Amino acid sequence: MHKDTTAQRAPEIAFDDFLKVDIRVGTVIAVKDFPKARKPAYILHIDFGAEIGVRKCSAQITRHYTPETLIGRQVMSVVNFPSRQIGPIMSEVLTVGFPDETGEVVLAGPDRPVPNGMRMF
């Protein structure tokens, strides 16, 4: 169950703090089931363009997405967090989304195609 994040706003931060979070767009190029995850999840391989390359992450998004609906989809991910061990894989980015009314993840992404690797501003 996800925490209700609509109840409280995060504390105010300086614009320079926002700039420290590097959120980029990438295209999902491969999706694998992740049976060793504690909760149902996929392993996503996301192409962030020449500068960053292909990175992988674990994503608990099986409720609304299938591998077929994810391939070719552009998603937004934080690319400057340290890598994190999740079971047998090293998750290299944090793909972002919003909880729906039941707490399931709905991915965030651009509504029109943009070049892979573009930074959110």
Side-chain angles (χ1 to χ4, degrees), residues 31-94:
V31 180
K32 297 178 182 173
D33 287 325
F34 190 9
K36 293 185 178 182
R38 287 183 296 191
K39 295 181 181 179
Y42 295 127
I43 299 170
L44 306 180
H45 294 255
I46 306 167
D47 181 0
F48 291 98
E51 181 184 338
I52 297 170
V54 175
R55 300 288 173 95
K56 67 183 175 210
C57 73
S58 169
Q60 295 175 352
I61 56 173
T62 60
R63 175 75 171 181
H64 294 305
Y65 304 97
T66 64
E68 296 78 24
T69 62
L70 289 165
I71 299 291
R73 180 186 183 96
Q74 286 196 300
V75 296
M76 296 166 49
S77 301
V78 177
V79 299
N80 66 331
F81 284 159
S83 295
R84 184 173 176 204
Q85 189 74 42
I86 299 180
I89 76 149
M90 187 63 76
S91 192
E92 300 170 305
V93 297
L94 174 66

